[in-house]
Amino acid sequence: SSGINAEYGGVVYAVQRLKTTKIFCIDPQRVNFCGRIQFICFDKTGTLTEDSLSVLCAIPSSSIFLAAAKKGHLIKQERFLHALATCHEITTINEEFIGDPLDIEMFKFTGWSFEECDELNPLASFVSAIVSSPEQHDEEDHDDPQEIGIIRSFPFTSELQRMTVVTKNLQTEEMIVFCKGSPEMIHSLSLENTIPENFHSELDSYTNEGYRVIAFGWKALDSETSWHSIQTMRRSELECDLNFTGLLIMENHLKEDTTGCISELLYSNTKVCMVTGDNIFTAISVSKKCGIVPFDGGLNDVIVISKDGDSVAFQLDCQEQTSVTLPSNYTQMEIVNTLIGITSRPFVFAIAETAFNHVAAFHPLVYEMLLLKGKIFARMKPGKKQKLVEDLQSIGYTVSMCGDGANDCGALKSAHAGVSLSEAEASIAAPFTSANPSICCMIEILRQGRAALVTASVTFRFMAMYSMIQFITQLLHYSIGTNMTDSQFLYIDMFVISGIAATLGHSKPSENLASTTPKAQLIDFKVFILLSLHVMITFGFQYAVFVYIQSQPFFVPYVPAHDLKEGACFENTALFVSSAFQYALYGVILSVGAPHRKPVIYNWTLMIVFLVCSVMSVLFVFQPFPALTKLMNLVSLEEFDVQITFILLMALNFVLVYLVEELFATNKVTRYLDSVKIFLNKAKPKFETLRETWHNLHNDFNSKNFYK
């Protein structure tokens, strides 16, 4: 049972340590996956950026966009103002606004007031809420405050990228549908003659700066439309033939620690990407600011992949003049030449969902390169986020997803390690939930996961050596027809082994993430070679003390009885003393520290067990306490020089085992053993095979672009 407990000890301690940092785990089996994470997908809003938004300006439209209105300035385009005041899902509790932060900031920007209709309000059976304009104090404008009732709401969904309300002007009885959503979606639902001529240039000017842009549209319902008919109308009947009315520009700042955390993850050779429902150029801008787009002596170029009919086009960032469409029936080489023709600098890919669907379905060569070099995935609906995670897993990556919203649930569930920064919907699907909404939790989870994975490997190797040490000891005992005594077995199993097994997992993770990940396998070629060497060393030293004690002048040979039974003899004493020390020394030497765990000396509980076991071994050699000698069924080694020789042999055993471990920890030996392992077993993760395939096509492509 000691072996079983030690096997999961690293996971148990990792979960406990995560809890102290307010990271909660509901599926401890995922902890070891965290030690192997190679790829992390991040949501944007609320994950990389702040949850809170602030309105930069509102831009009403006509045939072109009009002047932007800042907070406190009057929006003279009435329909646009009404859209801002009504198109939301706000409620109030104790006179405080409750709802999406975007909706709350948008409504506050208008300066209007909000009132939910309760049973005392005569309009309660027809409208759910009433919004009212502020009183006008301008002498030129003596109009009464406007009141608009919200009759029906269609909530925002990531799949549709929009929300809609049906309203009634309580003064004019006019019924208006207001719709807000992504600019691309509202553009597609609006009448062509209502779209401003400078729509794309205006949109790009803000998204390229990283602002979040929301678009609005409206349409009037027929005057004969009744309240009852509105309640039965399908959403699609209302969300069509809209009049485009304007854009709301919102600022969404990066969290203070986002850039530093991304930098540390990249240093640890963990690939990162952004998977967001936002505009692609907003996502590119934020990715550059936070470091997801790498900086290698200069900011990497971003190549946007788009759909061009049945083919695929590549475009350098937002420079339309660089767009190049792949020919039909293209080859890998033609893809490479096209990319080199666009840029000679290191690059990454960005793609929006429409192109993502097209490429995934019809262009497998482009898609496999996208999975290898994609950094920005925009306008991604929940199902596509999940598909991306699963496809990354299909080529061999160990993938984590970090998000904070309900639209991330599918991806959080599918990932090897889903991490939720919210205690709401997303936490149900994610095995990890961080009470601190910062992506720094990913660094802590990786640290603990890597340490737990190393602990599992250390435990396996220690338990393997425990078995081999005892096997060798018993083998030598049986060669003379005797066995260890019950008290000796109890000392080794209940004191030495249990003590070490219980404390191996106490080693804490390193402060910083290393640039490598620990091996996922408990046994591989390197571990097999190391264990084989340790078994030979163990046998060598036990056989040495076995022969040495037999060569002493005071030695009295053991005469076995007819039935094998335990008994005190010189050979038993020599083997018990040496093996008891070997258990302790392997517990410490095999407890690997750097690069994923702190040095073993910081595991003070294990060091105490080792020191106590070492002192006990010394006492067994010198035997100053007759009661202890009798209890353990030992015989006196008599001569002082023999006792000192035993101590020196134990010290030499420690040094030799330490040197072997240090030798195999060097990069040169590790690289050699890894090359032998690859030769013996040619199986590699699929993503490595794909990278090598692209590398072999063009040296310049590899050296300048691909591995950056």
Side-chain angles (χ1 to χ4, degrees), residues 316-491:
L316 185 60
D317 212 336
C318 54
Q319 303 172 26
E320 291 186 11
Q321 68 274 17
T322 63
S323 181
V324 179
T325 301
L326 286 174
S328 58
N329 301 320
Y330 56 82
T331 63
Q332 282 182 308
M333 196 67 227
E334 285 174 310
I335 296 175
V336 171
N337 289 333
T338 300
L339 293 170
I340 291 177
I342 294 174
T343 180
S344 59
R345 289 160 41 82
F347 66 85
V348 296
F349 286 131
I351 192 169
E353 189 200 26
T354 302
F356 177 85
N357 295 337
H358 178 67
V359 169
F362 303 109
H363 299 274
L365 290 178
V366 177
Y367 191 60
E368 70 181 32
M369 183 182 281
L370 174 65
L371 293 178
L372 294 170
K373 296 231 11 120
K375 287 285 188 178
I376 300 138
F377 299 84
R379 292 296 185 215
M380 298 289 277
K381 295 173 184 172
K384 299 308 173 184
K385 290 185 179 185
Q386 184 174 355
K387 174 178 169 54
L388 174 63
V389 168
E390 291 171 351
D391 288 348
L392 288 169
Q393 292 171 330
S394 71
I395 63 171
Y397 283 117
T398 303
V399 184
S400 177
M401 173 71 196
C402 182
D404 72 322
N407 59 342
D408 300 317
C409 287
L412 290 169
K413 188 174 181 180
S414 293
H416 291 106
V419 182
S420 169
L421 301 187
S422 165
E423 296 181 23
E425 304 99 325
S427 63
I428 300 171
F432 297 92
T433 300
S434 173
N436 178 20
S438 164
I439 66 167
C440 285
C441 68
M442 289 305 311
I443 293 175
E444 185 63 25
I445 288 171
L446 261 63
R447 288 176 60 240
Q448 298 294 348
R450 291 181 179 188
L453 200 58
V454 172
T455 299
S457 176
V458 166
T459 302
F460 169 78
R461 292 169 63 199
F462 172 72
M463 299 311 294
M465 284 308 303
Y466 158 54
S467 301
M468 294 310 300
I469 292 169
Q470 195 161 88
F471 171 74
I472 293 168
T473 304
Q474 290 300 93
L475 191 66
L476 293 173
H477 271 94
Y478 291 159
S479 69
I480 60 170
T482 187
N483 198 357
M484 289 201 303
T485 65
D486 290 341
S487 58
Q488 291 170 352
F489 274 120
L490 284 172
Y491 169 77

Side-chain angles (χ1 to χ4, degrees), residues 657-669:
V657 171
Y658 175 79
L659 291 176
V660 168
E661 281 289 317
E662 286 297 303
L663 175 66
F664 275 72
T666 61
N667 290 333
K668 188 174 181 180
V669 174

Side-chain angles (χ1 to χ4, degrees), residues 5-17 448 451-452 454-456 458-459 498-509 587 591 597 603 605-606:
N5 292 335
E7 184 73 22
Y8 293 99
V11 171
V12 171
Y13 292 122
V15 170
Q16 291 175 349
R17 286 193 286 262
Q448 298 294 348
V454 172
T455 299
V458 166
T459 302
S498 295
I500 293 173
T503 56
L504 276 177
H506 286 195
S507 291
K508 295 182 179 179
S591 189
R597 302 198 306 176
N603 185 347
T605 53
L606 178 59

Side-chain angles (χ1 to χ4, degrees), residues 243-318:
N243 298 284
F244 191 91
T245 189
L247 298 175
L248 183 69
I249 314 301
M250 308 200 76
E251 292 182 287
N252 191 202
H253 299 289
L254 284 174
K255 293 178 180 177
E256 290 184 1
D257 48 14
T258 292
T259 302
C261 293
I262 294 294
S263 176
E264 187 168 350
L265 289 170
L266 292 175
Y267 173 78
S268 69
N269 283 333
T270 304
K271 292 174 69 69
V272 296
C273 75
M274 178 192 292
V275 189
T276 178
D278 216 333
N279 177 278
I280 188 168
F281 295 115
T282 299
I284 290 172
S285 176
V286 173
S287 295
K288 288 178 178 179
K289 290 176 182 177
C290 71
I292 286 179
V293 176
F295 191 93
D296 300 315
L299 196 65
N300 283 198
D301 284 335
V302 177
I303 293 180
V304 178
I305 302 176
S306 57
K307 181 178 180 291
D308 188 358
D310 292 333
S311 190
V312 175
F314 297 114
Q315 174 184 313
L316 185 60
D317 212 336
C318 54

